[in-house]
Amino acid sequence: YPVESIRNFSIIAHVDHGKSTLADRLLEITGTISKTDCNKQVLDKLQVERERGITVKAQTASLFYSHEGINYLLNLIDTPGHVDFSYEVSRSLSACQGVILVVDANEGIQAQTVANFYLAFEAQLSIIPVINKIDLKNADPERVEKQIEKLFDIPTDECIRISAKQGTNVETVLQKVIEKIPPPRCNTADPLKALVFDSTFDHYRGVIANVALFGGEIAKGHKIMSAHTKKRYEVNEVGILTPNEQPTHKLYAGQVGYLIAGMKEVTEAQIGDTLFLYKQPVEPLPGFKSAKPMVFAGMYPVDQTEYNNLKSALERLTLNDSSVTVHRDSSLALGAGWRLGFLGLLHMEVFNQRLEQEYNMSVILTAPTVPYKAILSSAKLIKDRRAVQKDMLYIDENRVMLKYLFPLNEIVVDFYDALKSLSSGYASFDYEDAGYQSADLIKMDILLNGNPVEELATIIHSDKAYAAGKLLCERLKETIPRQLFEIAIQAAIGKKIIARETLKAYRKNVVAKCYGGDITRRMKLLKRQAEGKRLMRKIGNVEVPRDAFIRVLKRE
Ligand code: GTP
């Protein structure tokens, strides 16, 4: 395939507007998959993706299409739609020259439509606007065309009206891809320049790097080097993705495919890295911003004997999801574990679900928190900043786009759900990092008989400390079993106690009911008590069952 007959493109859309369905149709039309395959949403490979009906990880497929006597090679790079994964979108786009922008004919422009449009626009890609689901009863493509014109400055007659579900007009989309999206600008005669835009880990074959060739060619036996790590490799296999790996003799400039070169860890195939021939060094392509975790949570094995298994599961899963950050951590209550950073709450849930489904792990995940920078001053009294309105734009008479500056912890937990229910599901939401802001935050400690419980200390807005402290004390009172002495459960800010509950003394005699009779029953009960003790953590003189922490820490 000469470079002029190659097109590299992505489909971008708001969640549920029909990307995956359109991708399926394109794969069918081009014969990449057969129509009879009841194999819906071929690009959504993960179980969690099929179950939740969302795309988490970008996938790539090469399609072969003949138009007006010319054979074209179309490389389709799928992208996820949810806010949490916009990082995946931007790296997919770096391998493309154009995008299909899908908008639902009923819902119209939504938050991620806008966010994704700007990612493509800033990357100077050709944009093909497509209005999907015209088969729906209350579809209003005309209104959506007007929105697109108003917001993106794209003339209404450029929009293609389709039904991805029924296949209506999908062929027109393919023809527009060929007409409007330019072929990649590069040359096979140039030295090899391969951009790593994704990487996955295969247990048997090691790292599989997805690459876009911006120059030269690559084949088995070539000796290559990474611009980022300066490590050298010999290529074992190259090929295209259809969407499964299909080995080929070579990959040429302009193509998108995969390569395997004996890399043992995904960190060796860093996303955004440039690979070149060892003997022909080149100027590396501009890299990516690395993913920035926004939400942090502690992860611990339910049973400490599972620590090593969980460790290796985490290692393998993060090989396939390099946007998760992992740091070792330990807690008095929960034992050895990790502190993980995620792109957002859905990302965290999906990661947890993958651990359970793909690695059969059951874990304790602590309540998510957001990063803070603390400047320690004696008062710690810094000016408060709430949501500030930044911008407001009417998209049409029914829809308005609002921009606000929010403290991240306010939106991270249940903002999205609250917004959805408030607007009866009509509002959609997207966010980007606006940097650190000063706020009136304080550290709240929880004390058991005067001793602080490290894992229950929280950073919280001063307005909310009293209510939160009271709630935590009440919950602890319910979960900590009574002991031989009275226990004071307190919430404190510095030296000031803001809430208190008292747990009365109680003596539990496990053998009291046995009348000293049956010796085996007596032994059994004593053993059970000893086992129970093992699951206790001592905070000062107070014994707290691990369970109590889990119940207090876990999100509802
Ligand atoms: P993410 O992968 O989560 O970003 O979603 P997506 O944009 O890939 O959406 P998907 O293709 O999964 O479609 C979402 C829903 O819309 C599914 O239930 C589809 O069956 C439905 N759908 C997609 N295209 C059409 C269409 O043309 N008409 C109708 N009526 N429904 C459609």
Side-chain angles (χ1 to χ4, degrees), residues 513-532:
K513 282 200 201 112
C514 298
Y515 320 110
D518 184 343
I519 179 81
T520 45
R521 179 164 161 71
R522 196 182 154 87
M523 293 308 289
K524 205 161 121 194
L525 281 173
L526 285 171
K527 193 165 160 248
R528 192 178 295 165
Q529 188 185 37
E531 266 169 16

Side-chain angles (χ1 to χ4, degrees), residues 494-510:
K495 295 225 176 324
K496 191 171 147 210
I497 304 295
I498 57 166
R500 176 188 169 122
E501 292 287 334
T502 307
L503 189 63
K504 292 257 159 54
Y506 173 69
R507 180 175 163 72
K508 187 178 178 193
N509 184 351
V510 278

Side-chain angles (χ1 to χ4, degrees), residues 397-531:
E397 58 276 19
N398 300 322
R399 220 159 248 289
V400 59
M401 182 163 81
L402 300 166
K403 280 191 191 166
Y404 278 93
L405 204 61
F406 262 106
L408 182 59
N409 77 324
E410 297 290 339
I411 57 170
V412 116
V413 178
D414 54 5
F415 178 79
Y416 189 62
D417 293 336
L419 179 76
K420 276 284 176 203
S421 70
L422 212 100
S423 65
S424 315
Y426 282 110
S428 63
F429 154 75
D430 189 29
Y431 63 81
E432 59 186 21
D433 186 17
Y436 287 99
Q437 300 275 330
S438 54
D440 186 6
L441 301 172
I442 45 164
K443 179 169 176 251
M444 179 174 76
D445 288 311
I446 298 294
L447 311 174
L448 293 180
N449 279 351
N451 295 302
V453 188
E454 217 182 291
E455 41 279 284
L456 295 182
T458 45
I459 292 178
I460 191 163
H461 196 275
S462 62
D463 288 352
K464 298 187 174 166
Y466 284 87
K470 188 161 173 284
L471 187 70
L472 259 178
C473 290
E474 284 168 3
R475 279 211 216 152
L476 278 170
K477 187 183 174 183
E478 286 163 20
T479 42
I480 298 176
R482 290 186 182 189
Q483 296 174 31
L484 290 170
F485 41 82
E486 192 174 281
I487 301 169
I489 305 168
Q490 296 166 309
I493 298 171
K495 295 225 176 324
K496 191 171 147 210
I497 304 295
I498 57 166
R500 176 188 169 122
E501 292 287 334
T502 307
L503 189 63
K504 292 257 159 54
Y506 173 69
R507 180 175 163 72
K508 187 178 178 193
N509 184 351
V510 278
V511 288
K513 282 200 201 112
C514 298
Y515 320 110
D518 184 343
I519 179 81
T520 45
R521 179 164 161 71
R522 196 182 154 87
M523 293 308 289
K524 205 161 121 194
L525 281 173
L526 285 171
K527 193 165 160 248
R528 192 178 295 165
Q529 188 185 37
E531 266 169 16

